[in-house]
Amino acid sequence: MGFWKKAAVNSLVFIALAYFMAPSFYVHSLWTAFWASIILGIVNFLIKPVLSILSFPITILTFGLFSFVINGFMLYLTSWLIGPGFHFTSYGTAFLVALIMSVVHMFLSRDDAR
């Protein structure tokens, strides 16, 4: 899946999750969700590889589950960069959104492989 398709899917997932998790996850508008997905892509490109290398021993120790913690941190960092239009009330909410987004992307990438 290309960058722009992934950004569009992330935007729709952000809007849907903000609706279902209303008090703990807030997205101001569709454009804010779109910009957040672009910023998330940039953050994942620049910072996530460094964190993945640094956390490799604990990732191996937890059988790869620590990567969800890193994904939650990337979302939390994105919310900090975007500002008040894209907000999580806690890291736990960011972790849950990262987990749901991972499941959504797993299903979408499975369909791309066919």
Side-chain angles (χ1 to χ4, degrees):
M1 185 178 340
F3 178 78
W4 295 110
K5 285 184 182 179
K6 192 178 278 192
V9 167
N10 282 344
S11 301
L12 295 175
V13 171
F14 285 152
I15 293 294
L17 289 177
Y19 176 75
F20 287 117
M21 303 172 71
S24 59
F25 178 40
Y26 173 74
V27 177
H28 177 66
S29 66
L30 184 61
W31 284 109
T32 304
F34 186 69
W35 282 110
S37 65
I38 290 174
I39 296 296
L40 179 65
I42 293 169
V43 165
N44 280 340
F45 180 74
L46 295 175
I47 298 172
K48 189 176 179 180
V50 175
L51 286 180
S52 295
I53 290 170
L54 291 175
S55 67
F56 184 70
I58 195 164
T59 303
I60 294 296
L61 200 62
T62 61
F63 301 109
L65 293 176
F66 194 73
S67 63
F68 293 121
V69 174
I70 294 173
N71 288 341
F73 179 72
M74 294 295 107
L75 274 174
Y76 207 72
L77 181 63
T78 300
S79 79
W80 180 75
L81 290 171
I82 293 291
F86 185 80
H87 178 70
F88 297 102
T89 57
S90 67
Y91 174 77
T93 305
F95 179 80
L96 184 61
V97 169
L99 188 65
I100 293 170
M101 287 182 66
S102 296
V103 170
V104 167
H105 283 288
M106 180 183 68
F107 282 118
L108 291 177
S109 67
R110 188 180 75 182
D111 288 338
D112 280 346
R114 292 182 187 175

